[in-house]
Amino acid sequence: MSVIVYTESENGKFKKNAFEVASYASEVAKQLGTTATAIAINSEENEILGNYGISKVLHVKDDSLKTFNAKAYAEVVVTAAQKESATTVILSSSTDAKFMAPILAANLKAGYVPNVVAAPDSTQPFVVKRTAFSNKGFAHTEIKTEQKIIGVSNNAFGTIENKVDISIEDLKVDIKEDAFETKSVEIDKVVGKATIADADIVVSAGRGLKGPENWGMIEELADVLGAATACSKPVSDLGWRPHGEHVGQTGKPVASNLYIAIGISGAIQHLAGVSASKTKVVINNDPEAPFFKAADYGIVGDAFEVVPQLIEKLKEFKAQNS
Amino acid sequence: MKILVCISNVPDTTSKINFTDGDTKFDTNGVQFVINPNDEFGLTRAMWFKEKQGATVHVATVGDASVEPTMRKALAIGADEAIRINTEPTDGFYVAEQLAKVVKDGGYDLVICGRESIDYNGGMVPGILATLTGMNFINTCIGLEIEDKKVTAIREIDGGKETLSSSLPLVVGGQKGLVQESDLRIPNMRGIMMARKKALNVVEPVDGIKATTDAKFDKPAPKGAVKLANSVDELVDLLHNEAKVI
Ligand SMILES: Cc1cc2nc3c(=O)[nH]c(=O)nc-3n(C[C@H](O)[C@H](O)[C@H](O)COP(=O)(O)OP(=O)(O)OC[C@H]3O[C@@H](n4cnc5c(N)ncnc54)[C@H](O)[C@@H]3O)c2cc1C
Ligand SMILES: Nc1ncnc2c1ncn2[C@@H]1O[C@H](COP(=O)(O)O)[C@@H](O)[C@H]1O
């Protein structure tokens, strides 16, 4: 009855969240008195997972699984769970993992809890802590079914090094044809730039910037920091920035180490979606802007003065510290 | 084409969140309930299919009689008929099983759900529903076109978007992008009057798995006061030496 963890990779390389979910799985396995097995699809360097407490990798190499397909990938994970007689399946909170998890839940007749932020409170009964009400609260949720699925929030549990011996086994899965009834036709993705989902730092700007022509300094600031760029909802509604950058309760969630909000007032719906970030910085010329109540650090000032200065200062800082 | 839009009845986004009964229940006192924003985008897209392609649009909610004002609003926006499954939506698996029965009985071609409810943020009902009914499934859907039963959809992915082809019957988990904010409709007087005459059918629940329960809730620890920096030098210093994030 080992614990199964789905470790995501892209172009053969594990994503950062793979190490976090592996660490989490290893902790759950410890609590249950068992071991953690990873299921990895078309990944290379599988041994690396041994650094995070994973003692076995089931590796599926299959060209038909080159691009993510939720139904087909779910079949792989179900097969792995059954082979290992696993009762607990762990995955991340990436868009793909959240696409696949409910399919797994239905196939395994499992209770699924997403957005989990800590190791289980207890395993008998099985209770996990998760965010609810868009980060305005936490729920301690009991999973009552024999099979359990846990979706781990990004950047909440952290990555924990714990080196163990690891074995790698090939697994072959015959995927049913009907999984490919839904097919990827085209992927349109920025390459070489941090994404909101996995960036350590997110630089976000709002209506205070006045117009799309003023985003040059936001992109430059993000560049200097190796950060992803984001925006408030009205900014994407106005077409100043692409919809994929809209963060908040009705947009993408942010759980980065550092979130910098520039010319964003801090409406409740915005804060709900970004409050999982560890350190929040606000730059706003109105000292009464609600964001100052939610932030850790702030500068009261005009973004058009502060941001260029900040870029210069950070460039200096980088030069000194590299 | 027969469309079912699944609507979750959620606290308005500006609601203060409190808990009662020894922190075991969400306190609905003074809370205004609305159509889940993700579902409102889906409902509005469904109205497009109704007006441009002659689709029939039903809405379904799992909940007690208190959800009916939200369903009337969906009817006022233009849905043809509403179905309420008369039971507490205690758990996503259970809700999906209830909706699966409605979907099978109703012979729907397209089921539009939201990516997630903004209250419990489960993000699981559409995927479980699709799997239980054997329908195709596309999540975080931000674009949907259907011609001769052929589906072209766009979904949001981390760092971009993906175009997919699929076929009916299909379940989508939708969000903003299915339509734009400016396409959303506020019910007008005529819509509200007409909604009064439309059917709101109540059906009893089927047995299902109650897979999870929330044993206890708590709120985030109160935040300390913001530290204001007087210069960018001071800010960079704080971020480096104190917060250790750069
Ligand atoms: C159902 C619903 C869902 C929503 N979901 C979201 C969501 O997911 N995400 C989201 O962001 N919003 C969401 N909103 C919208 C939200 O209520 C706010 O309207 C929005 O967040 C405000 O965006 P803003 O801060 O960019 O603009 P504003 O509120 O207009 O704030 C602009 C800020 O910039 C400051 N400013 C102006 N000039 C300067 C300058 N030169 N230098 C520095 N600062 C300056 C101002 O002081 C002000 O604080 C939602 C609303 C509803 C009703
Ligand atoms: N009680 C409910 N009744 C009808 N549909 C629901 C209900 N709960 C959730 N849904 C649908 O499932 C989507 C995702 O919800 P959830 O899995 O609860 O986050 C929602 O946006 C709705 O479309």
Side-chain angles (χ1 to χ4, degrees):
Chain A
M1 62 144 225
S2 77
V3 171
I4 284 275
V5 53
Y6 166 57
T7 43
E8 282 163 80
S9 59
E10 194 168 41
N11 302 325
K13 290 228 177 317
F14 284 115
K15 293 195 189 169
K16 197 174 74 183
N17 66 28
F19 306 126
E20 185 171 22
V21 291
S23 306
Y24 188 91
S26 147
E27 173 62 29
V28 174
K30 197 166 86 193
Q31 289 193 6
L32 291 171
T34 179
T35 54
T37 299
I39 174 81
I41 299 173
N42 294 329
S43 53
E44 293 148 18
E45 307 169 340
N46 292 308
E47 302 73 20
I48 234 180
L49 294 174
N51 295 345
Y52 306 96
I54 300 298
S55 54
K56 181 169 162 187
V57 180
L58 294 172
H59 177 225
V60 177
K61 201 168 158 35
D62 185 336
D63 280 346
S64 73
L65 300 176
K66 272 229 161 86
T67 33
F68 176 80
N69 174 306
K71 208 167 175 178
Y73 274 44
E75 246 181 274
V76 170
V77 178
V78 167
T79 307
Q82 284 164 349
K83 179 174 179 322
E84 295 291 299
S85 315
T87 50
T88 313
V89 178
I90 288 161
L91 23 70
S92 79
S93 288
S94 71
T95 302
D96 287 353
K98 284 197 165 179
F99 189 174
M100 175 170 75
I103 305 176
L104 280 176
N107 284 326
L108 291 169
K109 298 271 169 282
Y112 161 48
V113 182
N115 308 321
V116 169
V117 291
D121 293 352
S122 68
T123 54
Q124 275 193 356
F126 202 99
V127 179
V128 283
K129 182 180 181 184
R130 64 162 169 132
T131 59
F133 299 96
S134 306
N135 288 314
K136 291 182 207 165
F138 295 102
H140 297 265
T141 305
E142 179 183 344
I143 311 182
K144 299 202 279 194
T145 44
E146 162 131 25
Q147 302 281 335
K148 300 166 181 73
I149 301 175
I150 299 176
V152 182
S153 265
N154 280 344
N155 211 14
F157 182 74
T159 298
I160 298 167
E161 295 218 16
N162 164 28
K163 199 167 168 50
V164 297
D165 287 337
I166 187 164
S167 65
I168 291 155
E169 212 175 279
D170 285 326
L171 178 70
K172 203 170 151 26
V173 181
D174 291 312
I175 314 266
K176 288 188 217 81
E177 251 328 288
D178 71 341
F180 299 101
E181 185 62 28
T182 301
K183 262 200 297 286
S184 177
V185 180
E186 195 190 340
I187 291 178
D188 175 3
K189 197 169 159 175
V190 270
V191 280
K193 195 168 172 261
T195 66
I196 291 168
D198 55 19
D200 288 330
I201 304 179
V202 174
V203 172
S204 189
R207 206 149 51 180
L209 278 236
K210 314 275 190 281
E213 66 282 4
N214 295 324
W215 248 262
M217 64 179 188
I218 301 301
E219 300 211 321
E220 192 178 353
L221 178 60
D223 246 16
V224 178
L225 288 165
T229 48
C231 68
S232 66
K233 177 166 175 288
V235 164
S236 71
D237 288 342
L238 289 163
W240 295 359
R241 298 296 290 176
H243 284 294
E245 283 198 0
H246 157 199
V247 296
Q249 193 167 23
T250 52
K252 283 204 165 75
V254 184
S256 53
N257 285 333
L258 173 60
Y259 181 73
I260 305 180
I262 302 161
I264 297 177
S265 58
I268 191 163
Q269 301 94 351
H270 185 88
L271 295 177
V274 305
S275 65
S277 291
K278 302 232 161 89
T279 300
K280 292 175 276 293
V281 173
V282 53
I283 298 170
N284 196 306
N285 61 2
D286 174 9
E288 300 298 319
F291 215 123
F292 282 105
K293 291 211 170 60
D296 302 284
Y297 301 101
I299 290 188
V300 179
D302 184 344
F304 296 98
E305 287 168 22
V306 176
V307 174
Q309 286 173 18
L310 185 58
I311 292 168
E312 285 319 305
K313 176 71 198 164
L314 284 167
K315 279 185 181 160
E316 259 172 55
F317 170 82
K318 291 267 139 147
Q320 280 164 14
N321 288 274
S322 61
Chain B
M1 184 161 63
K2 225 178 143 186
I3 303 177
L4 183 70
V5 182
C6 299
I7 289 186
S8 167
N9 180 55
V10 299
D12 169 57
T13 52
T14 57
S15 307
K16 292 264 180 297
I17 302 298
N18 289 305
F19 305 107
T20 62
D21 292 17
D23 286 336
T24 58
K25 279 207 174 63
F26 171 60
D27 185 359
T28 55
N29 224 325
V31 170
Q32 173 115 22
F33 282 84
V34 297
I35 299 177
N36 183 39
N38 290 317
D39 306 351
E40 200 176 342
F41 292 114
L43 176 62
T44 311
R45 186 65 191 157
M47 295 322 301
W48 186 93
F49 285 119
K50 174 177 163 156
E51 285 154 17
K52 299 285 193 290
Q53 298 185 350
T56 309
V57 178
H58 293 175
V59 293
T61 300
V62 179
D64 63 22
S66 70
V67 305
E68 291 195 354
T70 297
M71 311 201 73
R72 288 280 170 213
K73 183 175 173 203
L75 291 171
I77 287 172
D80 299 302
E81 224 176 281
I83 304 154
R84 178 170 71 80
I85 301 103
N86 187 27
T87 182
E88 281 237 8
T90 45
D91 153 70
F93 207 114
Y94 180 71
V95 168
E97 285 179 310
Q98 303 309 322
L99 292 169
K101 171 81 167 49
V102 170
V103 169
K104 282 179 191 156
D105 290 351
Y108 294 97
D109 306 291
L110 173 66
V111 180
I112 306 182
C113 295
R115 164 192 81 178
E116 69 170 22
S117 309
I118 60 162
D119 50 1
Y120 294 92
N121 314 115
M124 67 180 89
V125 168
I128 297 177
L129 171 60
T131 309
L132 294 176
T133 52
M135 292 165 80
N136 293 311
F137 174 46
I138 294 171
N139 206 18
T140 56
C141 189
I142 52 170
L144 183 63
E145 302 286 343
I146 299 170
E147 289 292 341
D148 304 328
K149 300 200 170 201
K150 290 259 162 283
V151 175
T152 306
I154 304 173
R155 79 165 174 120
E156 193 162 88
I157 56 175
D158 292 333
K161 51 193 180 183
E162 179 181 28
T163 307
L164 299 149
S165 69
S166 190
S167 60
L168 299 179
L170 169 76
V171 178
V172 301
Q175 59 187 65
K176 189 180 92 175
L178 270 183
V179 299
Q180 299 312 327
E181 183 76 21
S182 53
D183 298 324
L184 296 179
R185 302 171 182 194
I186 296 160
N188 57 21
M189 215 15 144
R190 185 160 168 272
I192 295 168
M193 297 303 285
M194 279 173 59
R196 291 197 189 142
K197 297 198 199 93
K198 290 177 181 170
L200 199 165
N201 304 307
V202 179
V203 301
E204 290 308 314
V206 290
D207 284 342
I209 304 174
K210 289 188 175 161
T212 62
T213 51
D214 293 320
K216 199 169 171 12
F217 294 99
D218 40 48
K219 291 213 269 185
K223 187 134 197 65
V226 63
K227 265 196 193 173
L228 291 180
N230 291 313
S231 65
V232 297
D233 289 20
E234 191 184 339
L235 179 66
V236 170
D237 182 61
L238 285 166
L239 294 180
H240 181 59
N241 292 314
E242 190 175 277
K244 302 193 188 318
V245 286
I246 57 169

